[in-house]
Amino acid sequence: MWLYLITLLAIPHHALGANPGLESVITQKALEYAKQVGASLAQEKLGGLTIPDMTGSISISPFGKVDYSLSGMHVVNFNLPEPVVGFAEEAGIKIGINGMNVAINGNWRDHYQLIRDSGSFDLAVYGIAVSLLVGVGSDSTGRLTVSSANCDASVGDLEVTFHGGTSLLYNFFKKIIQGLVHEQLNNKLCPMISDYIDGLEPLLQKINVSYQYDPYVVFEFPLIHPPAIGASNMEFDCKGEFYSVEHRGEFPFTPEQFQLHDQNRMVSLGLSQSSANSAGFAYHSAGILRIRLTDSMIPKVSPIRLNTTSFESFIPELPKRYPGMLMLVDLFTSQQPLITFQPDNVTAQAFGAAKVYVILPNATLAPVFVLDICASFSAKLFMSDLKLTGFMTLNNVSLNLASSELGPFQTKSMENVIRAGIHLAVLPEVNAKLKRGIPLPATPEVSLVNPVLKVNQGFVMLATDVSYSP
């Protein structure tokens, strides 16, 4: 659970350089939940846990030196006290366990001169105490790293009982053997813990720091510097930028600084205005922000059709040259859209062009004019089924005549036509995509609980609790 919790964003200090496009914060509440889940997982992991073999020699009067080995040791029973967890400022996560008891079974073997013997044993270990600091950082690829930064472990007491072979001899001198085993356990506890933590590193290296949302755009979110660890939370700053898969180019704007403040949830995620704008830049670079409007796409109830007759009141010359012919319009972006986050509202400006054609009787297209279009939209964002969804409305549209094969004409009256076209053809398609939603990054084991979405000045924030199901 610790691994899933720390890397939940991997779904992510401002003083160190670049601002993040994506920021995430985990709180003490998250650690407390991880402690509960971790105790449950420990019940599964500790049961049957193997202990490294122990070997040594003891001098038993009057026999002399006896070599021994304890092998095949595994945990058969234990009690796990509730651990204490918290953040260690600028260091990592501190974990403390005190008063743990463990029952272990294993095999013993001895060698005395030409005599060899073997049997089994029961080992009861009392009062195990562990104080651990898990260091948290990042590597050159922007992936999370963990390490055993500090470990202090001790065994309070133990009792061993030998069975089989010359076990009577061992039991007679078990105080000496217990002292040796006690010393070796004390020496092995921290290396065992460190080996386990170091074993997480290959798993962390497998975590993706990019996510291909669709065939055209990829979202990259490597850490831009090591996590910032405070007394009550840990902050992950990630790049958080969208790129076109085929036409990769660096986004020409720098993310603005923002700060997440919600401490009532386990996890908070923030996406900056610049990060959202990089998505528009990526889609514009990919050349897919375009749509071809035909008369068949216009609802039958519409009084305006895409034919030369309907456009007579706007451009009298058009039906004279092309009487009774159908038309089509190619709409596309001329530059990247711009998004602005304001409290509880998202506005977007789209800059595009409309190339208008007449469909000739032989099915070829005759260009007639080109309009430059600037449109402003407002959007509301929601959470639905763990997806970011929304609804967009049109604020305003302005037109300018860029070129014409029919001579100059006024465009003001055509704005109503374009506005109608956006309402009837463009917005339904856009809103259909928004309704389908953008899946939030998650893992099969971790799900979001009661997520809350909030649009703020310059960034949008998702605050949520999490649930872990292995």
Side-chain angles (χ1 to χ4, degrees):
M1 176 60 189
W2 298 105
L3 175 64
Y4 287 110
L5 176 64
I6 295 173
T7 59
L8 180 59
L9 276 143
I11 318 331
H13 275 346
H14 298 308
L16 296 181
N19 293 324
L22 176 69
E23 180 179 305
S24 66
V25 174
I26 61 174
T27 65
Q28 182 65 34
K29 183 179 181 181
L31 290 189
E32 294 299 327
Y33 177 72
K35 177 176 67 176
Q36 298 173 19
V37 175
S40 176
L41 292 178
Q43 301 292 329
E44 301 175 8
K45 298 294 184 181
L46 286 177
L49 177 69
T50 58
I51 310 297
D53 295 349
M54 298 182 186
T55 59
S57 61
I58 55 176
S59 182
I60 303 177
S61 177
F63 302 101
K65 180 182 177 182
V66 177
D67 297 322
Y68 72 90
S69 69
L70 305 178
S71 61
M73 292 184 287
H74 59 279
V75 174
V76 293
N77 197 8
F78 62 92
N79 80 301
L80 181 63
E82 183 176 346
V84 177
V85 298
F87 295 105
E89 289 189 69
E90 300 182 3
I93 296 175
K94 53 188 178 182
I95 305 171
I97 300 175
N98 192 34
M100 180 177 176
N101 303 321
V102 179
I104 298 171
N105 286 158
N107 302 311
W108 63 265
R109 184 179 299 274
D110 70 16
H111 179 204
Y112 169 67
Q113 295 184 0
L114 298 177
I115 300 173
R116 298 177 183 272
D117 203 358
S118 62
S120 63
F121 69 90
D122 298 318
L123 175 64
V125 185
Y126 305 105
I128 298 174
V130 177
S131 178
L132 175 66
L133 175 61
V134 180
V136 181
S138 62
D139 63 15
S140 59
T141 67
R143 288 177 169 85
L144 201 67
T145 61
V146 294
S147 62
S148 177
N150 188 47
C151 178
D152 184 17
S154 62
V155 173
D157 196 7
L158 59 82
E159 183 175 348
V160 61
T161 302
F162 296 94
H163 308 282
T166 55
S167 57
L168 289 175
L169 178 65
Y170 272 99
N171 286 325
F172 184 73
F173 295 105
K174 70 178 182 180
K175 290 295 185 183
I176 300 175
I177 298 173
Q178 284 176 180
L180 294 172
V181 174
H182 188 281
E183 181 181 359
Q184 290 206 34
L185 278 177
N186 277 331
N187 292 334
K188 287 179 178 291
L189 277 175
C190 277
M192 286 173 60
I193 294 171
S194 296
D195 288 345
Y196 175 76
I197 294 174
D198 292 342
L200 298 177
E201 197 65 25
L203 299 177
L204 293 173
Q205 291 301 311
K206 294 179 181 179
I207 295 175
N208 290 328
V209 291
S210 65
Y211 170 70
Q212 186 160 345
Y213 173 65
D214 58 26
Y216 313 103
V217 168
V218 62
F219 183 54
E220 296 188 356
F221 48 94
L223 289 163
I224 58 178
H225 39 62
I229 306 169
S232 60
N233 61 44
M234 185 183 304
E235 178 182 311
F236 301 86
D237 292 346
C238 304
K239 186 174 184 179
E241 190 167 325
F242 292 87
Y243 292 95
S244 167
V245 173
E246 296 293 333
H247 306 281
R248 184 184 177 96
E250 288 296 326
F251 182 56
F253 299 98
T254 302
E256 309 87 353
Q257 181 174 322
F258 66 96
Q259 189 69 39
L260 302 178
H261 297 287
D262 194 308
Q263 298 296 314
N264 297 320
R265 301 296 179 115
M266 296 181 189
V267 180
S268 295
L269 299 171
L271 184 72
S272 75
Q273 183 172 287
S274 293
S275 183
N277 277 318
S278 71
F281 179 78
Y283 279 109
H284 174 70
S285 300
I288 63 168
L289 296 180
R290 56 176 62 243
I291 184 173
R292 170 163 285 188
L293 300 177
T294 63
D295 186 68
S296 62
M297 299 169 64
I298 306 299
K300 294 182 179 180
V301 297
S302 172
I304 303 297
R305 312 303 308 177
L306 272 181
N307 60 50
T308 56
T309 302
S310 287
F311 274 73
E312 181 176 12
S313 60
F314 310 115
I315 314 172
E317 184 63 23
L318 181 60
K320 293 179 181 179
R321 294 196 190 182
Y322 305 100
M325 296 184 187
L326 290 173
M327 301 164 60
L328 63 80
V329 180
D330 280 338
L331 279 175
F332 56 90
T333 55
S334 55
Q335 66 183 70
Q336 70 171 70
L338 292 178
I339 295 174
T340 303
F341 290 140
Q342 296 172 319
D344 300 320
N345 187 61
V346 180
T347 60
Q349 282 186 296
F351 309 93
K355 288 187 176 181
V356 183
Y357 300 88
V358 170
I359 305 175
L360 300 178
N362 63 2
T364 60
L365 302 179
V368 286
F369 58 89
V370 178
L371 298 174
D372 287 332
I373 305 174
C374 178
S376 174
F377 301 87
S378 289
K380 299 294 183 182
L381 299 179
F382 313 99
M383 285 296 305
S384 178
D385 296 328
L386 301 183
K387 292 182 180 180
L388 178 63
T389 64
F391 184 83
M392 182 178 288
T393 58
L394 177 66
N395 293 331
N396 190 35
V397 174
S398 63
L399 302 179
N400 287 294
L401 184 63
S403 64
S404 173
E405 303 297 325
L406 306 171
F409 56 87
Q410 293 296 317
T411 61
K412 191 64 178 178
S413 59
M414 292 187 64
E415 289 181 358
N416 291 332
V417 176
I418 298 299
R419 185 176 288 106
I422 293 175
H423 277 296
L424 296 173
V426 178
L427 283 180
E429 183 168 337
V430 171
N431 283 325
K433 292 182 178 180
L434 289 174
K435 185 176 181 180
R436 288 194 293 270
I438 301 172
L440 296 176
T443 72
E445 295 86 3
V446 179
S447 58
L448 307 186
V449 178
N450 299 322
V452 175
L453 188 72
K454 176 71 173 177
V455 180
N456 301 281
Q457 188 67 43
F459 70 100
V460 60
M461 182 184 74
L462 175 69
T464 183
D465 290 332
V466 298
S467 176
Y468 176 75
S469 300

